[in-house]
Amino acid sequence: MKPASFRYVAASDVADAVALLTEHGDTAKLLAGGQSLVPMMNLRLSRPGVLIDLNRMPQRNTIAVEDGLLRVGLLVRQKEAEHSPIVLAQIPLLAEAIAEIGHAQIRSRGTLVGSCCHADPAAETPAVLLALDGSVRVQGPQGAREIAASDFFLGYFQTALAPDEVATDLLFPIPAQGTGSAFLEFARRHGDFALVAVAALVHLDAEGAVQGAALSLAGVGPSPLRATGAEQFLIGRRAEPAVLLEAARIAAQGIEPTDDVQASAAYRTQLAQTLVERALLIAASRAAREVA
Amino acid sequence: MPSVKNRGGIGDDLLRLEDDRLLKGQGRFVGDMRVPHVLELAVLRSLHAHAEIVSIEDRGASALPGVVHVVTGAQLQEEAPGLFALGQPPLVAGETLYVGQGVAAALAEDRYVAEDALEKLFVRYRRLPVLSDVERIVEESGEAAVTLGDSVIGFGEVEPLFAAADIVLEERLAIGRATAQPLEGRAILAMPEGEGLLVYAATQGPHGLRQGLAKALSLAPELVRVVAQDVGGGFGVKNGVYPDDILVAYLALKLQRPVRFQEDRREHFLSTVHSRAQVHRIRVAARRDGTLLAVDDDILLDAGAYQARVGYGRTTAVTIPGPYHLSAYRCRIRDVHTHKVPVGPYRGAGRPEGNFVMERMLDALSRRLGIDRAEIRRRNLIEPHEMPYDTRIPDRNGNGVIVYDSGDYPLALETALKAADIETWRERQKAPLPDGRRIGVGIAMFTEDTGVAPFEMGVVDLLEDGRIRIASGSPAQGQGHETTFTQIACSALSQTPGQIVYADTDTALVPAGIGTFGSRATVMAGSAVHLACKKLEDMVLTEAGAILGEAKERLSLSPGRVDAPQGGLQLRDLAASIEAKGEHLRAEAVFRPEQPTYADGCHIAMVAVDPLTGSVEILKYIIVDDCGNVISPRLVDGQIQGGLAFGVAAALLEELVYDNQGQLLTGSFMDYPLPTALDVPAAEIHHLCSPSPRNPLGVKGVGEGGTVPALAAIAGAVEDALLPIGGGMARQLPLTPERVVRLASANERQ
């Protein structure tokens, strides 16, 4: 479990990182928190020729609200976001999700942007970004662009990021007033990769009917999934237990997990239904409190 | 922090003497040793469970800068055929028999370069059929199935009792493959010294390692010196001689350079012995009132590719009857050959499995007969007035019959029931918790043989400065021998801990020894140290008597002194005068008991189970333990609590899952969960004390008692939680969330 030899370069800023990526092509890897990359290097599953360290860049740890979006910079550690007053006030769903990531030591190093770029199908941050219809801001040789979360996550550890691009920010739309949310995850132990994780948002109108709903699931496919059928079912209905259960059933019917050593597809499907139902119950009750 | 008092003798509550050193990072582990010119070994391990090695091509491995030596199994066999004469070869020359078996090795100036070299070795394999599932193997081959061991033990005639019984229950029960995960992997450093070797090893048995290495290398045993310094956990798997050990020793001798192997976690999963891995077909015959009559078990043990160095199937077999009366017993154990890592002992070494099946069958009987789980146990327990109790079970070596030495099993049960406040829990579990979870209560009792194997040796020296050095053949892997043995010496010699120097187990200091395993160190080595101390006391008093002109009977020891009716002398002065004569006081003692000691106890687990997700939370855990006299209260409780962690792991978490091609699917901590502090409850521990008459300290082992009944107690509690909603019997461990969900919806009707 010793990494193959590699060259180490510290990028001075994003432009420098892009230049280094352009120079070294796909032999290069970006190092942010290193919580997934370094173990993979130790196992020699990843063997970059050049490791481009982003951690020396100044001013890349911003958490800010801009134009109705919460922007999280590329070096924001999970632990910083988890305890950020801005995150807690604007998108408590994100803080709730981050608390499920690994252990405190991992969250102290791991970054939100890095987690999205790594694109583990069981990861929490991508599921939240997808549920909120967020996007990833990236910079390449041709300049900056934004990629919607629904286009960003392409499959197991695959994203729409080009080999010469650096993801610089995550942009999370801030939910409307009257929205309740919940993040629930089931893992073998606290800190393990999720068998299934669910991000749920329920927006209620003054009469208690569902005006908008968003549900995303992690761990049930190659990348996080939106349960659009269940979301549509909920629109206009009252957020009652029977309705939420039916939505959970629809969500579970819409996934096709595969068997693996931790869980069979059937168990994952049942787990998804249970967690969606419970997440919706919590989100709806939080929304009701917002409305009241 | 509880107050720490007293002088430091037996029973005093000392802080661990070794912790100051260990917590400051001053431990001396094999990996910490700085050795000039040391070569680090990396082993290329087979990717296939069963395959012929057609060829291994060196495409630049030997030529890499920093690489000193590369060797394949075939080359090794040619140059040193003697290494292949014993059991498992150091490297495979022909057929690989499991994924992870060594096929070639590289020595380099550091481990990074050695691993680089392995990547430049290209192996061509021809794949061969793989044996993976023991039940399928036996189903397909029947009695022709290849076994590495096949034996039957028992007493009495079981069949007539089954024929006449009111109730016969039969079940298939299974315990998953698992292995210990010490913080420190296997580690060994061999340095040429004269014609032989000086070996530092992370081992539980330095003398066995010495013997194994000497035999493999055709050296006289005295030419191999093995020292076990600090060892970062053993739990059974660091005993005996591994192929990598032989490789290290051979290469150090051949190249005349120090060679070290430090196992990493990936190869730990693939090459350190696995354990448990049993499937039982067990039948129990009973009367309608719940009286047990006979047990008949047929165990298939997934033994892996090579004969286990220590077979623990028989240990399972002798554990099954436990604290209960039986009229007849029969157990067949087959170690079935599969293409997997060989098996060996792991915390409990077969006992948790045996306890699990017996206790599960009692729960099944309880359910069938409508007799409460505590009551059905109560009706079958051996009574204290029957001690010593002849179980009629042949002992593991087949030399005699197991006779329990002491214990009050009914008291253990009643103490646990009272501590658990079981009636309140029975009331609470009638309704689900507000979050939908169900409460369950599990009870398991146990007896276990502790302090096994033939003998242990203690060596005690009066040092020149008047302090007393103690050593034994049982090294510590974190258990705290330094504290425990110091307390024993303090009591034997009326000293305080500052007067005692604890020495590592070193074959040059202790001529013979067995090691630390099977809950034996305090019983065996502790007794040997005690006896050696008593001998030394006599020698010291004799010498002091000569100097003081007093009969030794009128002298006694006190901290740092020999006291006489008038005056006395300092031990320091006595030691100096002895050394001045060119003499030295050393006492050696061998403790060789006829029979092991039998510890016992009762565990009660209270759990909350989510029937929809399968999560299990242990709400409360009661342990009643009887390990006889307690030497170090804090260490005993630590052993019990730590043992429980292994029980939780076996019951709920850890499993080495193989596919039908012999590939390990759970080969990292991502897929092989160990319990964390969040998963293991702080047990409420109660002690009973039935001293063993079989050793001078009256002690029994405690290293495994925390583990043995925990599997059954937790499984029983989970099952109990789900019974009201139609749940089935918990038959297979670990109870992963998915298995719990299936159990919850089993809809079994009895």
Side-chain angles (χ1 to χ4, degrees), chain B residues 255-388:
Chain B
L255 301 175
Q256 284 297 301
R257 274 182 78 166
V259 174
R260 170 161 49 200
F261 171 69
Q262 175 84 56
E263 178 192 62
D264 71 24
R265 191 60 57 183
R266 181 162 52 172
E267 60 194 343
H268 182 82
F269 274 101
L270 291 173
S271 65
T272 289
V273 291
H274 293 172
S275 196
R276 313 229 198 275
Q278 296 183 359
V279 181
H280 295 245
R281 290 269 175 194
I282 185 168
R283 289 193 302 152
V284 171
R287 290 205 193 101
R288 200 163 287 111
D289 66 1
T291 308
L292 288 169
L293 297 171
V295 172
D296 181 14
D297 192 7
D298 190 334
I299 306 172
L300 298 180
L301 198 155
D302 176 359
Y306 291 90
Q307 176 83 52
R309 293 188 306 268
V310 182
Y312 58 87
R314 285 184 71 90
T315 309
T316 300
V318 302
T319 302
I320 287 171
Y324 308 109
H325 292 114
L326 278 184
S327 300
Y329 175 56
R330 178 187 172 278
C331 183
R332 181 182 185 191
I333 316 108
R334 275 175 283 181
D335 293 333
V336 181
H337 169 68
T338 57
H339 293 113
K340 299 179 192 170
V341 176
V343 295
Y346 166 30
R347 197 91 180 238
R351 297 172 187 86
E353 301 92 309
N355 182 269
F356 172 73
V357 298
M358 185 66 177
E359 294 294 316
R360 292 277 58 222
M361 293 309 283
L362 281 164
D363 286 349
L365 210 52
S366 144
R367 189 175 175 183
R368 174 71 166 270
L369 294 171
I371 299 172
D372 175 77
R373 285 177 170 185
E375 180 58 25
I376 200 138
R377 287 170 170 81
R378 197 177 279 130
R379 289 182 190 178
N380 286 289
L381 286 174
I382 296 162
E383 299 283 329
H385 66 79
E386 298 175 85
M387 293 291 170

Side-chain angles (χ1 to χ4, degrees), chain B residues 401-417:
Chain B
V401 172
I402 289 172
V403 179
Y404 294 161
D405 49 351
S406 61
D408 189 337
Y409 308 154
L411 181 61
L413 176 63
E414 302 310 331
T415 305
L417 292 170

